[in-house]
Amino acid sequence: MKKTEVVIIGGGPGGAASAINLAKRGIQSVIIEKETFPRFHIGESMTGECGEAVRQLGLSAEMAKIPKTIKHGVTVYGQGGKGSFWLPVMKRDENGELVKNSTWQVKRSDFDRIVLDKAVQDGAELLRGKATKVLQREDGTVYGVEAKLDDGTTETIEADIVLDASGIATFLSTVGVASNKERGKYDRQIAIYAHVKGAKRDEQDNTLIFYEKKNHWAWFIPIDEDTVSIGVVTPSDYYRDSNEEMRDFYLREMHKINPALTERVPDVELVEEVRATTNYSYHVRNFTGKGFLCVGDAHRFIDPIFSFGLHFALKEACLAADAIEAHLRGGAGRDLENPFKAYEDYCELGMDTIQEVLDCFWSSPISFAFFAHSRYNEDFIDIFAGRIYQEEPSRGLQAVRKVNAKMARLAEEQPELLSHVSS
Ligand SMILES: Cc1cc2nc3c(=O)[nH]c(=O)nc-3n(C[C@H](O)[C@H](O)[C@H](O)COP(=O)(O)OP(=O)(O)OC[C@H]3O[C@@H](n4cnc5c(N)ncnc54)[C@H](O)[C@@H]3O)c2cc1C
């Protein structure tokens, strides 16, 4: 049996960054990771604040060594390639003014490897294997996990805190410690993706989004000198009804979704197998309690369209380390029924903001484009960068809320009109 202060399930960006942040605070951790890195993972485009979080983790030197591209912003192309809008990556300077910034687009196999390596370098112990069980006292307090290691043995790891960073596997929810995994609003979709060579790229390597109609879109994310990640996202029924092989469907949709994408992929070569993710939109509402907390995808994922997944994983890894430090050092809240409730509420504040923004985009894309591109441009630059934890909503966010309320009323009063609008 091992003993540590924090046992972390999952060595992806959320888990590895948590270990780095804990080590900075002098807190020991053991990471359990079931896959051997480097391994493929989807999710390559970072927000501006996510790039800042990477720098704060002390990864700048390692980032310089891996293939990647510089992202200056995102362009969203409307239906038929028309009505595009652009949001630059910008940060706030010491006077609160928006100034130029940039972030990265990465191959996740490389990026995830350097984050995990840094965690180990900083003192985290890495166990290769799969967490299978939770240790829980009679009063419900979590005090460790059991893991099946790659060498076939079983290890018990006792810890003051269990931090779940298991991503879409949502380990603590699945074993019944955190609450149930509820379906998210964008659940009935499929994302099909691969890496390609030979795509026509713009002068700058930015993230491009191509809108076709509600819940039907594609991404184009250059990730190194030659390679572009391209994904198509469609309703699951639409894919099923096509009766096509996944690869054929992917290539056909890539050429059909939007002319602004078609012209960029006249003749592409696949350099990765075509993969798919379904059921990626979910919400675990109670993801903290006595002896445990979750980070990143382990508790919620909304929709990939505006690239917030890595941002949440890295931001929450930092917030979780603060909450754990306060807890272990006997800080306020230690004896509460749920010592990590404040952490949970803060994480939800950011995720709820993005949920509202995405709801507005999908229900009313034209209003959204007008707000983002013109009326509340600065507020949307902040949102897209990941500055989303303000208690006081910006004017842009207030406008989003008004549209959402109007659309919700319409859905109730005139559902037939709404189904016409969305198609
Ligand atoms: C289609 C799609 C496109 C996306 N595009 C973007 C994008 O462009 N930009 C962006 O920022 N985000 C994107 N995301 C989201 C992004 O991929 C995730 O939000 C991000 O990887 C979350 O990091 P994480 O550390 O929480 O989880 P993960 O990166 O999934 O890491 C979890 C780790 O836990 C391990 N694990 C799981 N269960 C166990 C267990 N029982 N024991 C041991 N180990 C375990 C897994 O092997 C994995 O390595 C996208 C998501 C999807 C579905």
Side-chain angles (χ1 to χ4, degrees):
M1 192 214 289
K2 275 186 187 295
K3 283 199 174 192
T4 185
E5 291 182 286
V6 182
V7 59
I8 299 173
I9 302 155
S18 296
I20 298 171
N21 286 310
L22 289 167
K24 273 190 198 166
R25 292 158 178 79
I27 299 169
Q28 283 177 341
S29 67
V30 171
I31 302 172
I32 309 167
E33 171 54 55
K34 69 181 170 64
E35 291 198 41
T36 306
F37 283 28
R39 52 94 174 93
F40 182 91
H41 203 297
I42 197 60
E44 295 120 339
S45 172
M46 295 187 189
T47 65
E49 292 294 307
C50 181
E52 295 299 316
V54 171
R55 292 180 193 103
Q56 277 161 21
L57 286 171
L59 284 164
S60 298
E62 290 310 310
M63 283 300 288
K65 292 183 204 155
I66 62 168
K68 65 194 165 303
T69 58
I70 308 291
K71 170 181 169 184
H72 301 271
V74 53
T75 300
V76 180
Y77 288 91
Q79 208 174 45
K82 298 188 190 114
S84 65
F85 68 89
W86 154 256
L87 282 165
V89 175
M90 299 184 88
K91 61 181 174 185
R92 294 269 170 195
D93 68 10
E94 56 284 2
N95 303 315
E97 298 298 323
L98 280 175
V99 291
K100 269 193 178 168
N101 193 17
S102 65
T103 186
W104 294 292
Q105 297 154 143
V106 290
K107 200 183 261 182
R108 286 287 300 275
S109 49
D110 292 326
F111 177 72
D112 291 13
R113 175 183 54 77
I114 64 167
V115 190
L116 186 56
D117 285 353
K118 172 95 167 80
V120 172
Q121 239 173 48
D122 289 0
E125 183 181 355
L126 174 62
L127 293 183
R128 305 254 172 224
K130 185 173 178 182
T132 49
K133 269 191 201 158
V134 171
L135 309 179
Q136 225 171 346
R137 298 189 207 288
E138 267 180 20
D139 70 351
T141 304
V142 169
Y143 69 98
V145 293
E146 206 173 275
K148 181 113 175 88
L149 301 188
D150 285 359
D151 64 8
T153 59
T154 299
E155 180 76 272
T156 302
I157 305 117
E158 280 195 8
D160 297 309
I161 307 291
V162 171
L163 188 152
D164 181 7
S166 62
I168 199 168
T170 55
F171 177 77
L172 284 181
S173 167
T174 306
V175 296
V177 169
S179 65
N180 286 341
K181 191 172 183 173
E182 295 170 21
R183 282 185 161 177
K185 273 195 181 164
Y186 307 109
D187 170 63
R188 291 185 170 82
Q189 290 167 49
I190 182 167
I192 305 179
Y193 44 82
H195 291 169
V196 309
K197 286 197 171 161
K200 279 196 187 169
R201 292 161 64 156
D202 299 355
E203 214 167 286
Q204 278 189 346
D205 282 326
N206 296 315
T207 293
L208 311 181
I209 301 293
F210 305 94
Y211 177 90
E212 149 66 352
K213 57 181 177 236
K214 191 169 184 189
N215 303 333
H216 199 142
W217 59 282
W219 75 74
F220 182 103
I221 303 174
I223 52 174
D224 70 24
E225 245 176 43
D226 310 308
T227 317
V228 178
S229 165
I230 298 182
V232 301
V233 182
T234 75
S236 303
D237 290 352
Y238 174 85
Y239 168 61
R240 215 179 18 252
D241 293 348
S242 78
N243 284 322
E244 279 174 295
E245 290 296 325
M246 195 162 75
R247 187 176 182 281
D248 296 340
F249 178 87
Y250 171 71
L251 289 170
R252 190 183 48 71
E253 281 293 318
M254 185 197 293
H255 288 92
K256 175 178 164 255
I257 274 185
N258 191 302
L261 176 58
T262 312
E263 70 190 30
R264 288 176 166 81
V265 289
D267 195 12
V268 290
E269 177 201 346
L270 297 179
V271 291
E272 269 288 345
E273 66 182 275
V274 179
R275 295 175 163 91
T277 309
T278 52
N279 302 337
Y280 51 68
S281 181
Y282 54 84
H283 192 176
V284 174
R285 286 183 196 274
N286 306 117
F287 56 93
T288 59
K290 278 197 169 153
F292 73 94
L293 69 179
C294 301
V295 158
D297 283 14
H299 67 90
R300 188 170 179 185
F301 188 72
I302 305 168
D303 186 284
I305 188 159
F306 295 134
S307 309
F308 281 99
L310 277 174
H311 170 91
F312 283 125
L314 298 193
K315 172 82 183 173
E316 293 179 6
C318 192
L319 296 170
D322 284 341
I324 291 171
E325 183 183 28
H327 182 72
L328 294 180
R329 310 280 179 253
R334 190 182 161 93
D335 300 322
L336 293 175
E337 185 52 33
N338 179 356
F340 299 117
K341 185 75 174 81
Y343 160 81
E344 182 176 288
D345 290 345
Y346 196 77
C347 294
E348 289 286 69
L349 176 68
M351 288 220 180
D352 287 346
T353 300
I354 293 308
Q355 177 83 59
E356 292 178 299
V357 167
L358 292 169
D359 289 350
C360 178
F361 177 76
W362 286 122
S363 69
S364 197
I366 294 175
S367 311
F368 187 94
F370 172 61
F371 295 162
H373 181 66
S374 166
R375 184 79 182 262
Y376 304 110
N377 183 245
E378 291 203 353
D379 294 340
F380 275 72
I381 289 173
D382 279 331
I383 291 170
F384 271 61
R387 291 182 285 278
I388 49 178
Y389 293 89
Q390 284 75 7
E391 294 282 353
E392 273 301 306
S394 61
R395 286 172 59 234
L397 188 56
Q398 288 174 34
V400 159
R401 285 182 180 163
K402 266 191 204 150
V403 168
N404 289 345
K406 210 178 268 179
M407 296 311 277
R409 253 196 329 272
L410 205 58
E412 219 169 87
E413 291 163 11
Q414 290 171 275
E416 63 300 332
L417 178 63
L418 206 62
S419 73
H420 172 70
V421 171
S422 67
S423 62

